[in-house]
Amino acid sequence: MTATVADAPAAPVSGAPIPPKKWGAAIALGVIALLSLIFFGFGTPAGSTTKFVIARKTDFIQLPSLTVPSELAAILLSLVGLALAGWVAYRANQRRKVGIWLPIVYGMAIMGALLTWAGAGREATSIQLTGLLTSSLFLAVPLVFGALAGTLCERSGIINIAIEGQLLAGAFLAALVGSMAGNAYVGLIAAPVAGALVGLLLAIFATKYWVNQIVVGVVLNMLVIGLTGFFFSTLMSDDPSLNQPIGLEKLPIPLLSKIPVLGPVLFNQNLLVYILYVAVAALQIMLFKSRWGLRVRAVGEHPKAADTVGIQVNRTRIRNTVLGGAVAGLGGAFFTVASGLAFGKEMTAGKGYIALAAMILGRWSPRGALAAALLFGFADALRVQLGAIGSPIPSQFLAMTPYLATIFAVAGLVGHARPPASEGIPYKK
Amino acid sequence: MSADSQTTEDQRDEEAPPEDRWRRALREIVESSSMVVFMAIVASMIIGGVLIIFADEAVRESAAYFFSRPGDTFSAIGDALGSAYSSMFNGAVLNLEASSFAGVIKPLTQTLTMATPLIFAGLGLGIGFRAGLFNIGAQGQLLMGATFGAYIGFAFSLPAGLHLALAVIGCAVGGAIWGFIPGILKAKRGAHEVIVTIMLNYVALYLVAWLLSLDAFQREGSDNPISPFVAETAQYPKILGVQFNLHLGFLLALACAWGAWWLMERSTLGFRLRAVGANPSAARTAGMNIGTATIITMVIAGGLAGLAGSAPVLGTQKFLTDAVAGTLGFDAITVALLGRSRPLGIVLAAILFGGLQASGPSLQVNAGLPVDIVVVIQATIVLFIAAPPLVRAMFRLPAPAHEKEVAA
């Protein structure tokens, strides 16, 4: 939803038929805003207030907490959402697109209404804004790496269902090597190796044996679950020193981490999160601005044409799949060394599949993947926080939102998700 | 499986020059896809063996002084492998250490019990594969089926036969609904079924977790998210007496396998589904409605996966939790692939994997090996099956004259 306008298709060629008016997005946004108005706006008890805590006690600059009249704020925020939906409808009528700012502002308005409603009339508790954002980013880390891995593979035409396995393999090897070396940073170096190995298997089966890539992905996930579970129950339980909870320490960036709200959220993190910023930016530029990126995308869209101009199709695919595996493996380090936890059986718990969802919602671009993963991370953090303050929304429904959002996206109910044209098709000369 | 090798043999009879009968028979055996399946299983058992050796403490200890006394290492390896494979056999086929006849054959009945949900779900996935649909959603469909069936089972009191029948139908309906969603989204909106079914697995999981937090689903006096026990009247009767877990669901699964065979090989609908799977544009040109075929396939596949949910809730575990599906939905994918999407193959593959899973507790207790080894063996079997040229290269088997496309 956030990335509704990323990768806008080229302007219609003159003489081409006029594209139909697309009302899907406007209707969806309108319905959600209306529901927000009814439930959050008019559902809030009159006269109650909601308290937002912006800064934490440890922050450098102390900002006062914000207390707003709940009903009025929730209604106003929902009306903002409705107005934005109206703007989308107006633009749709002119067959024009809206800027990237719209879904972001819209999302913030609706989320604000939700938070206001959830925190209404609870004097004892307050909504911890900075804490919410920090845990959103934290929970989004493996999703971003996973989605980047998926993007790298799929842009070159290989479907990567094995993200889950790559994350798990990375988490396992990071814990094992990190514990052996007694240093979390060594674990961080080992993690991508494990992911790359899984990626290599996927690439070989997909390009050399032309096995259906979805089959290989699903089976590789099982294989990694089995292997890591096996070594966890034998090697690691025989010798607990091989599986220690060691963590990367936080590296606050001087000055930047003192900025109110955003400082502690963005710039007081561990190394893995800083690598994440660099990886997203670098891959976004590389994929869409470099010669390498153009070649990769050519291989994913039209391998025959790419081959004709001398690009090695299968070699590009293997390289990208291994690189993607390494990126996902690095993301796997999040679960163990970056969180300071020991390895646990199946500890990735389906995060690889949410990463796949983030890749689709992010329209196969690193920037979009980041936005979608942050959205999912936010939903997860919100679930935790609403659970803590005892909200009337069952936490299971919040947990469902990333999956439902993805179904809406692939069903074309919100925008349209179009994968690279040749993904999943083995290239045979 | 057998139908495949039959056709290749027929073709070869016409093309091959006359040669010695025995040599030809031998060559046909080595070239057949059954041989690849067999060798894939052998290769996976070898890989499993390597892991067992690697994880065995006695082996690792004796390997430390390998060059002074290599014999120790080899005998430790022998002990580790011997105890692993014999406890696998004792756990899955016949328990030769048991004193009574019932004790001896108990593992076999346990294998068939474990195979029951795999047969159901594998059949559903197999039909999907043959109709060209990649359904990763057996997990969610199974869970929804189990939920519907369990609810009918514990919330109502009805006469014995009717109650069971309704609960079983409930399972099928629950799964079918969860299969219908990706079906209609694919047919009407072009949404890729792989993505939608993966996402629906999680939606089902959280939906069931939420239902189990409601009073209507919660067992009285329990704080855990588990449902009450299913009424006796809605449970599958045990078919070999109370000392065995094998229940009527197994026979129902075999009946479904026959039904699936009849549907795909003998009925017009099955012909349509296969045509759509083989070549959608040709099927469309011939006047078949691809969208309808997609929806029907997904509903049947979902219904069968839902029936797989009846095995735990009405047969073995007899109540609902959000973990009732285990990894059955994903195991069923491997079953369907190993069985080449054919009902007979699926039944055999399900029994093989059911046996592997049934041997888990015995491996744990007698050989001290974690059950995860079973998952590894299962996954490697399917990886090898999926790449026949790899298996042929490993065992230096000759390539057949006509390489068949791998199932799905």
Side-chain angles (χ1 to χ4, degrees):
Chain A
M1 282 182 288
T2 315
T4 315
V5 287
D7 290 338
V13 187
S14 58
I18 301 164
K21 294 176 183 176
K22 290 178 181 160
W23 296 104
I27 293 170
L29 295 182
V31 167
I32 293 172
L34 206 59
L35 287 176
S36 159
L37 185 66
I38 294 166
F39 283 106
F40 305 144
F42 298 117
T44 309
S48 56
T49 57
T50 306
K51 188 174 167 194
F52 290 96
V53 178
I54 296 171
R56 286 178 301 185
K57 289 192 181 67
T58 50
D59 285 355
F60 183 71
I61 298 172
Q62 287 291 323
L63 290 176
S65 11
L66 183 69
T67 305
V68 294
S70 310
E71 194 184 16
L72 183 66
I75 291 177
L76 282 179
L77 285 166
S78 304
L79 286 177
V80 169
L82 265 182
L84 289 171
W87 172 250
V88 175
Y90 171 72
R91 299 286 283 189
N93 193 32
Q94 300 178 323
R95 295 190 181 80
R96 289 171 70 183
K97 292 195 164 280
V98 290
I100 185 91
W101 59 271
L102 189 132
I104 294 173
V105 176
Y106 177 85
M108 282 164 63
I110 300 295
M111 286 300 169
L114 168 78
L115 286 173
T116 315
W117 168 76
R122 296 170 195 274
E123 275 74 30
T125 52
S126 45
I127 306 286
Q128 305 282 340
L129 270 188
T130 309
L132 189 63
L133 292 177
T134 311
S135 53
S136 303
L137 176 62
F138 190 64
L139 292 167
V141 170
L143 305 183
V144 178
F145 278 113
L148 286 180
T151 306
L152 271 173
C153 297
E154 301 217 351
R155 280 286 178 182
S156 77
I158 303 277
I159 299 178
N160 189 359
I161 303 272
I163 299 174
E164 176 81 2
Q166 291 157 352
L167 287 175
L168 191 60
F172 173 81
L173 203 66
L176 181 72
V177 175
S179 305
M180 279 161 71
N183 183 340
Y185 288 97
V186 181
L188 198 60
I189 296 170
V193 177
L197 279 176
V198 181
L200 182 66
L201 275 178
L202 172 66
I204 290 176
F205 275 97
T207 56
K208 187 161 161 54
Y209 296 110
W210 305 335
V211 184
N212 183 307
Q213 293 159 11
I214 296 162
V215 170
V216 188
V218 169
V219 177
L220 281 179
N221 285 342
M222 279 184 71
L223 183 68
V224 176
I225 287 176
L227 280 177
T228 54
F230 180 80
F231 288 122
F232 174 73
S233 311
T234 52
L235 279 186
M236 283 180 166
S237 66
D238 290 348
D239 185 0
S241 71
L242 293 178
N243 189 15
Q244 293 294 318
I246 43 169
L248 300 172
E249 71 267 28
K250 284 196 171 173
L251 304 168
I253 295 180
L255 283 181
L256 285 180
S257 62
K258 306 283 191 229
I259 303 171
V261 186
L262 286 184
V265 172
L266 294 177
F267 302 112
N268 185 17
Q269 298 282 1
N270 60 39
L271 181 63
L272 188 64
V273 179
Y274 298 135
I275 296 178
L276 177 114
Y277 301 154
V278 177
V280 171
L283 285 177
Q284 177 72 33
I285 295 168
M286 290 287 284
L287 263 180
F288 296 103
K289 300 277 183 254
S290 78
R291 193 166 69 172
W292 170 81
L294 184 64
R295 289 184 170 181
V296 166
R297 286 181 293 135
V299 166
E301 296 289 344
H302 201 316
K304 193 152 207 172
D307 195 14
T308 315
V309 296
I311 301 170
Q312 303 260 11
V313 172
N314 281 334
R315 191 182 292 173
T316 309
R317 287 184 170 178
I318 293 175
R319 219 180 269 161
N320 264 49
T321 313
V322 172
L323 179 65
V327 170
L330 190 62
F334 163 86
F335 296 95
T336 49
V337 292
S339 303
L341 295 173
F343 181 78
K345 235 173 162 173
E346 291 179 52
M347 71 188 309
T348 48
K351 284 278 189 287
Y353 293 109
I354 306 194
L356 195 70
M359 173 197 76
I360 294 163
L361 272 190
R363 311 289 160 91
W364 290 268
S365 85
R367 192 176 56 183
L370 177 70
L374 284 175
L375 187 72
F376 291 171
F378 183 76
D380 213 8
L382 197 62
R383 183 171 62 89
V384 174
Q385 175 138 103
L386 289 186
I389 64 170
S391 112
I393 304 182
S395 67
Q396 291 91 353
F397 285 106
L398 275 171
M400 250 182 237
T401 41
Y403 307 107
L404 288 176
T406 310
I407 293 175
F408 283 130
V410 293
L413 299 177
V414 182
H416 186 67
R418 194 190 66 82
S422 294
E423 73 166 21
I425 307 163
Y427 182 67
K428 307 172 187 179
K429 269 193 190 177
Chain B
M1 210 154 46
S2 55
D4 268 6
S5 50
Q6 195 59 50
T7 45
T8 36
E9 278 161 30
D10 289 350
Q11 287 164 349
R12 200 158 303 121
D13 278 343
E14 296 159 7
E15 294 163 10
E19 61 179 324
D20 180 3
R21 202 209 257 172
W22 292 109
R23 284 191 56 174
R24 196 180 67 192
L26 184 69
R27 206 204 51 213
E28 271 167 11
I29 290 171
V30 208
E31 283 180 7
S32 73
S33 59
S34 318
M35 190 66 183
V36 170
V37 171
F38 178 73
M39 282 305 176
I41 294 171
V42 171
S44 306
M45 286 292 181
I46 294 173
I47 290 181
V50 172
L51 279 185
I52 291 165
I53 294 167
F54 189 67
D56 191 81
E57 265 188 285
V59 175
R60 270 184 279 149
E61 277 163 23
S62 55
Y65 56 91
F66 178 80
F67 290 105
S68 51
R69 278 166 66 192
D72 276 15
T73 310
F74 290 119
S75 75
I77 287 177
D79 285 350
L81 288 183
S83 87
Y85 288 126
S86 69
S87 51
M88 257 183 163
F89 184 82
N90 284 342
V93 190
L94 295 172
N95 185 1
L96 301 176
E97 286 155 18
S99 49
S100 64
F101 176 69
V104 172
I105 63 158
K106 184 153 178 126
L108 198 58
T109 63
Q110 195 59 27
T111 294
L112 297 183
T113 314
M114 299 289 239
T116 306
L118 295 177
I119 298 176
F120 279 124
L123 288 171
L125 294 176
I127 291 177
F129 291 163
R130 293 187 74 186
L133 286 176
F134 222 98
N135 175 10
I136 307 284
Q139 188 80 7
Q141 292 148 13
L142 199 154
L143 199 53
M144 292 314 283
T147 307
F148 274 55
Y151 186 73
I152 294 173
F154 66 70
F156 301 97
S157 53
L158 293 163
L162 180 68
H163 200 180
L164 176 62
L166 279 181
V168 170
I169 292 170
C171 286
V173 169
I177 292 174
W178 222 241
F180 174 75
I181 300 171
I184 190 146
L185 287 181
K186 167 124 183 162
K188 301 287 176 209
R189 308 288 318 202
H192 201 302
E193 76 278 6
V194 170
I195 305 299
V196 177
T197 51
I198 287 177
M199 300 305 145
L200 280 177
N201 283 344
Y202 288 94
V203 175
L205 185 66
Y206 289 113
L207 196 61
V208 171
W210 173 69
L211 284 175
L212 284 168
S213 71
L214 301 179
D215 288 341
F217 276 82
Q218 177 83 104
R219 185 184 295 181
E220 256 179 70
S222 167
D223 288 336
N224 298 324
I226 52 175
S227 81
F229 278 102
V230 167
E232 292 256 341
T233 45
Q235 293 174 8
Y236 281 127
K238 312 244 170 185
I239 49 180
L240 293 177
V242 281
Q243 74 264 46
F244 299 113
N245 283 330
L246 192 63
H247 52 77
L248 191 66
F250 179 67
L251 297 184
L252 188 61
L254 292 185
C256 282
W258 181 84
W261 171 82
W262 185 85
L263 173 77
M264 292 312 275
E265 307 293 340
R266 291 288 177 275
S267 73
T268 325
L269 177 63
F271 175 75
R272 273 200 207 130
L273 298 186
R274 278 188 290 142
V276 169
N279 190 339
S281 21
R284 190 184 291 114
T285 313
M288 294 173 194
N289 187 331
I290 311 288
T292 315
T294 303
I295 295 174
I296 291 174
T297 308
M298 283 307 298
V299 166
I300 296 175
L304 283 164
L307 282 177
S310 75
V313 294
L314 307 179
T316 47
Q317 178 176 314
K318 297 176 187 127
F319 58 87
L320 182 70
T321 65
D322 57 358
V324 75
T327 57
L328 283 173
F330 288 97
D331 293 341
I333 296 176
T334 62
V335 165
L337 291 171
L338 178 57
R340 303 264 153 130
S341 305
R342 301 299 191 280
L344 180 64
I346 287 169
V347 170
L348 295 176
I351 292 174
L352 175 70
F353 285 170
L356 281 175
Q357 286 171 6
S359 72
S362 162
L363 272 176
Q364 184 105 49
V365 175
N366 301 329
L369 285 168
V371 287
D372 308 270
I373 187 85
V374 169
V375 183
V376 176
I377 295 178
Q378 209 169 317
T380 40
I381 290 178
V382 177
L383 271 185
F384 285 132
I385 299 285
L390 177 63
V391 180
R392 293 212 175 87
M394 273 165 47
F395 292 96
R396 297 181 183 277
L397 299 177
H402 306 276
E403 180 68 77
K404 286 230 141 205
E405 283 286 320
V406 186

